[in-house]
Amino acid sequence: MLDKNGIAKRIAKEVKDGYYVNLGIGIPTLVANFVRDDISVEFQSENGVLGMGPFPYEGEEDADIINAGKQTITTLPGASFFDSVTSFGMIRGQHVDLTILGAMEVSENGDIANWKIPGKMVKGMGGAMDLVASAENIIVAMMHTNREGESKLLRKCTLPLTGVGCVKKIVTNLAVLEVTPEGFRLLERAPGISIDEIKKATEGTLIVRGDIPEMAI
Amino acid sequence: MIQKTVDDVSEALQGVEDGMTFMLGGFGLCGIPENAIAELVHLEVKDITCISNNAGVDDFGLGLLLQKRQIKKMISSYVGENDEFERQMLSGELEVELTPQGTLAEKCRAAKAGFPAFYTPAGYGTEVAEGKETREFNGKMYVLEHAFKADYAFVKAWKGDEAGNLIFKGTARNFNPCMCGAAKITVAEVEELVPAGELNPNEIHIPGIFVQRIFQGKNYEKRIEQRTVRQKI
């Protein structure tokens, strides 16, 4: 079974040379740590920066330079700052190549829920609805089950939706799956995880066709 | 040159009344109009509607107005990080309209640019689209969203001149530019106010035509919400 860093490490392999990438808060943020250093990638943060670098050295933090998680950051050579309209123009206009975000639930037709638990938690959708409605290439990074051990890969989402039919690929602590018209197609298993374990943890339709290799990370 | 300078924050906020709708720039606590917020607290205006991406934290930013129960309604995209906000929302004291972030920005821009409404894919098929007109373009579904209507826009810039021209710094730019000119009156506070002619016209982010009043702000705290650093190796 993978930990959060393991999930991020596997997703990092999906990041290709020349990509502009938007990383959501949580596991997605960790992906930046594992991207190969022989390829050129620029990270976009929807609050208005392209070309995000690592956290600043102690004492060099600038309150005017943060990411969408409100963390202090630095910029790399070639970076730019812009306003929110321009930022979401990049997103809605499909100029961003890859979007990686977390989720509470994903359904077998690619619906995603990640912004609200009625009566419990309402923090808001932030930029997630704009991102999922527009991006061509969306990867969800999440645990396969919730804290109660219930599957987060469902036939149908139970929580209020963030977007419909938009998720293409999911990387969890147990597996890599692709959303297809017939359901979740299992592509890879996490090291040491059996197909049966993945079946048990998946409430939605799971399609297992041919040999399912272990993830190479 | 048309002079936009006012002496101080109290002159800048003249005309502000109970029940009005205000736009406030900023993302989290980054680039928020600290002086205007302090003055709104001081003026004790009530029943106001605030259009702002976030709602501050408990003891800073818009949290200061929430503490005093001055806000009737918040229109935001993300409101975590604020316990008092959550309490008022769950108890029904505070009305909240959650709006996707890109839609929020575009509703400002539409108001500024003379568009009554626009179609966006964001929120289609979710509760955000409930009761709204939807339409298909090129095989994809979109939701009709309307421009905001606001009385004042309070924005914060890095540098500005007497003509109301503005330059922003880093990610403190965020929602500030799209709110300039999106309300009946735009009030800009700046860290450095210079005479007209001192800013290079090539480097202006927002032309003064979108700003009615500008003043030199003071005592900026610029609080950092998440101080993240790395160690020198």
Side-chain angles (χ1 to χ4, degrees):
Chain A
M1 193 186 304
L2 300 177
D3 60 5
K4 289 180 176 181
N5 278 307
I7 297 173
K9 218 168 166 180
R10 174 60 190 82
I11 293 178
K13 292 178 67 180
E14 307 284 325
V15 179
K16 305 280 186 309
D17 189 35
Y19 268 17
Y20 291 103
V21 182
N22 180 290
L23 300 177
I25 295 161
I27 303 173
T29 307
L30 300 172
V31 173
N33 302 333
F34 301 108
V35 173
R36 277 161 48 189
D37 49 19
D38 61 335
I39 60 172
S40 303
V41 172
E42 283 193 27
F43 291 105
Q44 195 249 23
S45 197
E46 63 268 24
N47 60 316
V49 54
L50 199 55
M52 240 192 307
F55 294 146
Y57 288 121
E58 188 136 26
E60 292 175 8
E61 316 90 281
D62 184 340
D64 290 329
I65 303 180
I66 63 166
N67 63 17
K70 286 111 180 174
Q71 297 171 311
T72 44
I73 54 156
T74 58
T75 54
L76 296 173
S80 55
F81 296 117
F82 36 86
D83 64 276
S84 302
V85 165
T86 305
S87 181
F88 282 91
M90 291 175 191
I91 291 165
R92 244 187 271 103
Q94 299 182 341
H95 306 284
V96 173
D97 300 290
L98 175 62
T99 293
I100 303 166
L101 76 174
M104 299 180 202
E105 293 178 347
V106 176
S107 74
E108 62 186 46
N109 66 334
D111 293 354
I112 175 171
N114 71 354
W115 71 285
K116 183 179 182 180
I117 304 173
K120 271 194 200 161
M121 191 272 318
V122 191
K123 291 190 186 300
M125 67 294 280
M129 284 194 183
D130 309 271
L131 281 158
V132 301
S134 313
E136 286 277 303
N137 196 0
I138 299 175
I139 300 177
V140 164
M142 66 177 191
M143 292 297 165
H144 213 96
T145 54
N146 65 20
R147 284 199 191 97
E148 284 74 45
E150 297 158 345
S151 181
K152 294 169 74 171
L153 289 96
L154 308 173
R155 256 172 243 284
K156 203 169 181 297
C157 291
T158 62
L159 295 168
L161 296 180
T162 307
V164 292
C166 50
V167 176
K168 302 283 185 301
K169 204 174 228 180
I170 305 153
V171 179
T172 74
N173 51 330
L174 304 183
V176 179
L177 308 105
E178 185 187 16
V179 175
T180 70
E182 308 115 284
F184 298 113
R185 177 158 181 209
L186 184 59
L187 298 179
E188 297 171 26
R189 296 174 288 119
I193 298 295
S194 69
I195 291 175
D196 265 356
E197 285 172 282
I198 297 164
K199 268 185 187 158
K200 266 183 209 147
T202 308
E203 194 253 1
T205 310
L206 186 74
I207 298 151
V208 184
R209 213 170 279 150
D211 271 352
I212 308 296
E214 258 193 19
M215 290 180 207
I217 46 171
Chain B
M1 195 266 298
I2 300 171
Q3 177 69 242
K4 301 289 174 71
T5 315
V6 293
D7 284 344
D8 54 20
V9 69
S10 83
E11 191 183 342
L13 266 68
Q14 265 181 27
V16 162
E17 287 173 19
D18 290 353
M20 281 186 165
T21 297
F22 304 138
M23 289 176 167
L24 298 107
F27 187 101
L29 300 177
C30 183
I32 57 171
E34 292 184 22
N35 285 217
I37 292 170
E39 184 66 10
L40 289 171
V41 172
H42 173 72
L43 290 171
E44 298 181 352
V45 282
K46 298 239 173 336
D47 298 323
I48 57 177
T49 295
C50 291
I51 299 166
S52 169
N53 188 54
N54 312 88
V57 294
D58 279 323
D59 61 345
F60 200 57
L62 288 181
L64 299 170
L65 290 165
L66 285 162
Q67 267 180 18
K68 299 272 170 83
R69 314 274 169 92
Q70 290 174 262
I71 303 178
K72 182 186 73 177
K73 182 179 178 182
M74 275 297 314
I75 301 173
S76 303
S77 85
Y78 187 83
V79 293
E81 276 83 66
N82 192 323
D83 293 337
E84 176 60 15
F85 183 97
E86 203 165 351
R87 194 198 63 70
Q88 289 186 24
M89 177 170 65
L90 293 172
S91 71
E93 288 164 65
L94 180 70
E95 198 184 328
V96 181
E97 191 176 307
L98 290 167
T99 303
Q101 198 174 126
T103 301
L104 187 81
E106 206 62 27
K107 282 164 79 89
C108 295
R109 196 193 84 91
K112 165 199 204 138
F115 295 109
F118 57 91
Y119 282 100
T120 175
Y124 176 75
T126 75
E127 61 182 55
V128 163
E130 279 169 21
K132 291 175 185 165
E133 201 178 312
T134 56
R135 186 168 161 183
E136 187 187 319
F137 293 93
N138 306 316
K140 187 172 164 132
M141 292 304 294
Y142 295 80
V143 184
L144 187 70
E145 293 282 1
H146 291 261
F148 282 129
K149 283 197 177 81
D151 297 293
Y152 285 78
F154 299 116
V155 304
K156 151 84 192 333
W158 179 33
K159 292 179 186 174
D161 69 13
E162 296 167 311
N165 295 306
L166 303 176
I167 296 176
F168 301 90
K169 181 177 160 243
T171 55
R173 194 182 315 187
N174 56 64
F175 284 83
N176 285 297
C178 65
M179 289 178 173
C180 290
K184 287 176 199 153
I185 295 174
T186 297
V187 175
E189 56 184 85
V190 295
E191 287 177 56
E192 195 185 338
L193 183 63
V194 300
E198 281 200 16
L199 298 179
N200 181 344
N202 287 305
E203 292 169 0
I204 304 287
H205 292 140
I206 286 292
I209 191 169
F210 294 120
V211 174
Q212 279 67 51
R213 302 174 190 170
I214 187 167
F215 69 98
Q216 165 83 57
K218 44 186 182 188
N219 304 325
Y220 283 105
E221 188 178 330
K222 292 199 182 182
R223 204 185 285 189
I224 292 174
E225 240 172 294
Q226 308 282 342
R227 187 178 299 274
T228 44
V229 296
R230 70 189 146 133
Q231 301 304 319
K232 271 192 180 135
I233 324 160

